[in-house]
Amino acid sequence: MPTIQLKTPIPGPKSKALAARRESAVPRGLSHATPVYVAKTEGAVLEDVDGNRYIDFTGGIGCVNVGHRAPEVIEELQKQLDRFLHVSVQVTPYESYIRLAERLNALTPGKFPKKSFLLNTGAEAVENAVKIARAHTGRQGIIAFEDAFHGRTFMSMALTSKTHPYKVGFGALPGDVYRIPYAYCYRCSYSLKYPSCDLYCARHLEDTFNRVVASEDVAAVIAEPVLGEGGFVVPPQDFYRVLVDICHKHGVLFIADEVQSGFGRTGALFACEHYGIEPDLLVTAKSLGGGLPLGAVTGRTEIMDAPGPGGLGGTFAGNPLACAAALAVLDMFEHKDLSRRANELGAKFQERAKKWQKLWPLIGDVRGLGAMQAIELVRSPETREPAAEKTKQVVNYCYQHGLIALSAGSYSNVVRLLVPLVISDEQMNEGLDVLEAALHSVAEKNMAVSQPVS
Ligand SMILES: Cc1ncc(COP(=O)(O)O)c(C=O)c1O
């Protein structure tokens, strides 16, 4: 039996009623990609308050690579519920925190001695990576990339690139943040082509140290190994090797933000592994917690130990429930070969998406690594003018037909795949069928659709 079961037009009456309550209770600054109010989840399936079932290609924005309510996670959570909830690791520490740190130290790229420190969110982990990098180097500058997304708190917002809606009106932002172009080959900032460009964008960092900020004043370069919110952009194979070599030549740390690309999403536990690089600091969150809020900074021991006692912390950071969930997540990666599954899902997506690209000029680019896949929609393949409105129409069509999908990109013209890696082949095909129908509808009929509640 197909998984998708729509009992009402979407949104259903109960979702609509909740949207009306939300209107007066919650600020408009919090927007929703869909008007669907959720009631239950399992694996790669969501059920809404009206009893409609959807395939989920978004996984809570990449937080449930192991699936919604993974039985292994639930089991460990239930055991932890019987032991203790919050005590604060800063007062009376507990073994699961230490065990999780040990496992992150062992699993992250690099054989050198490491330490890990836990937080609640990705943004908080990014903030702390910056604190640690500054404390270690005694330098202040941080270089981030165009199209980067690192969070919504002040420092992580300053590191984030996209202006609307993330930064507009919220300044003054923290200083000493510098920005350089990413290896976004489809929209190369230098209008060059790989490989004849000889990785001009990576090599340009040397020039930045001459013309923009002295390397002696730069603590770190921070990068998402594969861009997340910026549109699932996959840099060329040798990009990071060149970039990291330049950083290290100048005593600048390299921070990898694997908040979205981590935990099997790209077909390896960490995307850095594809590039053969060992970041000085690695930031994780999202799927680490298997559905619970958890972030981490993992890095070289001598760097992690730079801040003095009491310099790092947070009342809830490394909450015992989140630690229990994360340990179950790591067990699942050890026993279930979810990274292999990510590659299968990615190949399936690519095969279908390449066919769509031949059919419809709307699809300018198909790209991805493992199950971190996306299509970029354009008004014309020649001009590559972003098709943001049509992207919104595709996403709307999807939820109206039983698929929860999400856009991305600095120009809001990318449809991305963040499907739970436990999805079955049948469910994946059902979801891809809906996406195909959405693209067909938007590309050929340019239908009019209702706007989601925001
Ligand atoms: C790469 C990256 N870094 C940081 C963040 C911020 O994480 P959080 O929303 O948990 O603060 C995100 C969130 O999407 C992200 O994708």
Side-chain angles (χ1 to χ4, degrees):
M1 189 173 64
T3 317
I4 295 169
Q5 291 175 15
L6 298 179
K7 298 182 172 170
T8 69
I10 309 302
K14 290 185 182 164
S15 274
K16 271 192 187 152
L18 285 169
R21 281 172 55 195
R22 171 240 184 272
E23 197 76 11
S24 57
V26 181
R28 65 184 185 138
L30 176 79
S31 63
H32 314 303
T34 78
V36 169
Y37 280 75
V38 80
K40 275 191 235 170
T41 62
E42 190 161 4
V45 177
L46 304 177
E47 187 173 319
D48 75 10
V49 286
D50 294 289
N52 300 302
R53 283 165 72 88
Y54 310 78
I55 307 274
D56 182 16
F57 272 11
T58 72
I61 324 186
C63 292
V64 289
N65 289 355
V66 297
H68 288 286
R69 297 175 61 251
E72 294 86 339
V73 171
I74 300 287
E75 192 183 327
E76 289 309 313
L77 286 177
Q78 278 165 346
K79 285 190 208 157
Q80 185 60 39
L81 282 174
D82 287 338
R83 291 192 290 256
F84 59 94
L85 290 178
H86 176 68
V87 289
S88 192
V89 76
Q90 291 174 212
V91 183
T92 50
Y94 32 91
E95 192 267 346
S96 56
Y97 187 114
I98 312 300
R99 189 150 35 106
L100 182 54
E102 287 168 349
R103 289 186 74 178
L104 286 170
N105 297 339
L107 287 168
T108 47
K111 291 275 169 265
F112 40 81
K114 284 179 231 146
K115 289 191 175 180
S116 285
F117 158 59
L118 304 178
L119 293 309
N120 300 290
T121 64
E124 201 187 352
V126 166
E127 297 271 347
N128 279 278
V130 170
K131 280 169 66 173
I132 294 165
R134 285 180 169 171
H136 174 75
T137 58
R139 306 171 178 183
Q140 294 185 355
I142 306 289
I143 296 180
F145 283 90
E146 286 175 7
D147 305 303
F149 184 89
H150 296 292
R152 294 169 178 273
T153 55
F154 263 95
M155 187 64 192
S156 65
M157 178 169 52
L159 296 172
T160 289
S161 176
K162 191 172 177 174
T163 55
H164 294 75
Y166 301 133
K167 297 195 292 191
V168 63
F170 294 132
L173 300 176
D176 262 320
V177 171
Y178 305 89
R179 199 166 301 284
I180 56 176
Y182 196 72
Y184 191 169
C185 297
Y186 185 67
R187 297 188 182 279
C188 177
S189 295
Y190 304 106
S191 300
L192 297 172
K193 284 228 174 325
Y194 179 79
S196 59
C197 64
D198 194 27
L199 293 164
Y200 184 84
C201 54
R203 296 185 202 286
H204 197 66
L205 181 59
E206 284 282 9
D207 205 40
T208 303
F209 290 148
N210 283 325
R211 291 163 67 196
V212 180
V213 55
S215 61
E216 297 92 311
D217 290 329
V218 176
V221 169
I222 183 167
E224 296 158 83
V226 175
L227 280 190
E229 303 301 304
F232 282 28
V233 176
V234 185
Q237 179 59 46
D238 36 358
F239 173 75
Y240 284 109
R241 196 185 34 73
V242 172
L243 191 83
V244 174
D245 281 354
I246 297 173
C247 287
H248 287 171
K249 187 177 129 196
H250 291 275
V252 170
L253 303 182
F254 178 70
I255 304 174
D257 178 346
E258 292 248 21
V259 167
Q260 194 153 162
S261 59
F263 300 99
R265 175 55 43 197
T266 65
L269 199 55
F270 300 102
C272 281
E273 295 169 37
H274 293 288
Y275 292 98
I277 50 163
E278 297 172 347
D280 301 299
L281 295 170
L282 183 103
V283 179
T284 51
K286 287 196 188 270
S287 274
L288 166 64
L292 270 82
L294 187 65
V297 184
T298 301
R300 294 176 187 271
T301 291
E302 67 276 18
I303 299 173
M304 293 295 291
D305 273 336
L312 303 176
T315 305
F316 275 112
N319 176 273
L321 277 177
C323 287
L327 287 165
V329 165
L330 296 183
D331 285 346
M332 284 182 75
F333 274 97
E334 208 171 301
H335 301 129
K336 288 205 160 171
D337 209 359
L338 291 171
S339 296
R340 186 188 49 77
R341 182 64 180 151
N343 285 320
E344 279 174 11
L345 294 169
K348 216 178 238 303
F349 180 90
Q350 282 264 342
E351 196 191 323
R352 295 279 294 265
K354 290 258 153 84
K355 284 187 193 150
W356 302 336
Q357 194 179 23
K358 285 200 183 107
L359 284 175
W360 302 305
L362 176 64
I363 297 166
D365 197 23
V366 175
R367 56 176 178 251
L369 201 53
M372 193 162 183
Q373 295 285 336
I375 47 178
E376 177 158 352
L377 307 192
V378 291
R379 292 167 76 89
S380 128
E382 285 76 37
T383 64
R384 301 188 177 185
E385 193 186 334
E389 191 50 40
K390 290 190 176 184
T391 306
K392 200 188 265 184
Q393 289 173 7
V394 168
V395 169
N396 290 4
Y397 180 103
C398 286
Y399 74 67
Q400 285 162 352
H401 293 81
L403 174 69
I404 305 292
L406 208 52
S407 63
S410 291
Y411 305 103
S412 308
N413 67 325
V414 174
V415 180
R416 56 176 150 166
L417 182 75
L418 280 171
V419 67
L421 305 177
V422 296
I423 192 169
S424 69
D425 283 344
E426 294 72 24
Q427 291 168 341
M428 182 71 182
N429 289 335
E430 271 187 282
L432 290 174
D433 289 346
V434 176
L435 184 53
E436 180 172 306
L439 291 163
H440 181 257
S441 169
V442 172
E444 297 197 355
K445 290 186 214 137
N446 196 18
M447 51 153 209
V449 293
S450 59
Q451 299 298 310
V453 177
S454 60

